[in-house]
Amino acid sequence: MKLYYSPGACSLSPHIVASEAGIPLELEKVDLKTHKTESGEDFYQINPKGYVPALKLDDGRMLTEGPAIVQYLADQKPASHLAPAEGSFERYKHYEWLTFINSEIHKSFAPLFGNAGDDVKNEARFKVMKRFEYVNGELDGKPFLLGDTFTAADAYLFVMLTWAHHVKIALPHNLSDFFNRVAQRPKVHAAMKEEGLVK
């Protein structure tokens, strides 16, 4: 399988999930300004949406959208427990977290990376911080979103927290502890190293 990614973008979450699951990936870097891949291809021909991540399966089929990709990767290696068992209540809680992170946190960051005015940026920052307060409360007394087991949703949340550091949003204590806990995972470190994000 080939993962089309941009260093530090949301494509880092499927990269982490694959690393945690022991799934080998071919990596192809995408320049999101020029929409060219490292090998010179027009990325719009690969993913007409124009953004990462995109996962090309071995049979040539393409999967896009981070939550779908991390769920797919997790399901390739059920023994990794990166996604709860099919049909379990925890499975739907996992979907709930992926959906919340995608729609309420990920999208809220958009103005903070663009050329928006100060008012728009301040409003976005406030919204992100409100969402983080909620997640901080949900993490009270447990190491990961679903309890004791690291899942694909934790990988996605971790990437959002790297963005928070980038735009200088302070993390509440449980989220800060969570960030440090996940950053110390060897497979997470390995994925970040492959993208040139850490030494």
Side-chain angles (χ1 to χ4, degrees):
M1 287 186 280
K2 180 190 283 192
L3 178 67
Y4 292 90
Y5 80 102
S6 185
C10 55
S11 49
L12 176 58
S13 63
H15 190 176
I16 288 170
V17 170
S19 180
E20 287 275 350
I23 297 171
L25 289 179
E26 182 185 345
L27 297 173
E28 176 99 22
K29 189 167 17 176
V30 178
D31 184 324
L32 295 176
K33 289 195 176 82
T34 64
H35 291 92
K36 292 279 187 207
T37 69
E38 205 165 19
S39 60
E41 291 179 88
D42 176 0
F43 187 54
Y44 281 115
Q45 295 300 311
I46 295 158
N47 179 12
K49 296 171 183 174
Y51 52 78
V52 294
L55 183 70
K56 186 175 187 180
L57 307 187
D58 293 337
D59 62 8
R61 288 181 296 170
M62 193 69 69
L63 191 61
T64 63
E65 301 301 331
I69 293 172
V70 296
Q71 189 69 59
Y72 176 80
L73 290 169
D75 285 344
Q76 301 314 297
K77 299 281 184 172
S80 69
H81 303 292
L82 287 160
E86 194 80 52
S88 67
F89 177 73
E90 289 73 21
R91 176 83 166 194
Y92 297 100
K93 288 302 288 183
H94 191 246
Y95 288 144
E96 181 184 331
W97 275 117
L98 287 172
T99 304
F100 177 80
I101 296 164
N102 187 241
S103 63
E104 297 300 320
I105 299 177
H106 184 162
K107 286 297 176 194
S108 299
F109 268 102
L112 299 174
F113 290 119
N115 296 317
D118 287 345
D119 286 351
V120 174
K121 285 191 174 184
N122 287 339
E123 188 177 328
R125 187 178 291 272
F126 177 77
K127 187 172 182 183
V128 169
M129 289 167 71
K130 280 294 280 183
R131 299 300 181 256
F132 280 170
E133 282 173 25
Y134 166 74
V135 181
N136 190 69
E138 291 294 305
L139 280 169
D140 217 19
K142 57 188 182 184
F144 303 113
L145 292 170
L146 294 179
D148 293 330
T149 305
F150 178 86
T151 66
D154 294 299
Y156 194 7
L157 177 60
F158 173 77
V159 174
M160 296 301 99
L161 301 183
T162 67
W163 291 6
H165 285 299
H166 184 73
V167 296
K168 298 184 171 44
I169 291 177
L171 300 178
H173 67 286
N174 289 334
L175 271 182
S176 182
D177 290 348
F178 169 90
F179 177 84
N180 293 330
R181 192 178 304 118
V182 175
Q184 288 167 13
R185 293 176 71 87
K187 301 290 188 176
V188 171
H189 186 82
M192 294 182 78
K193 191 172 181 181
E194 277 190 289
E195 296 195 12
L197 302 170
V198 294
K199 291 184 179 177

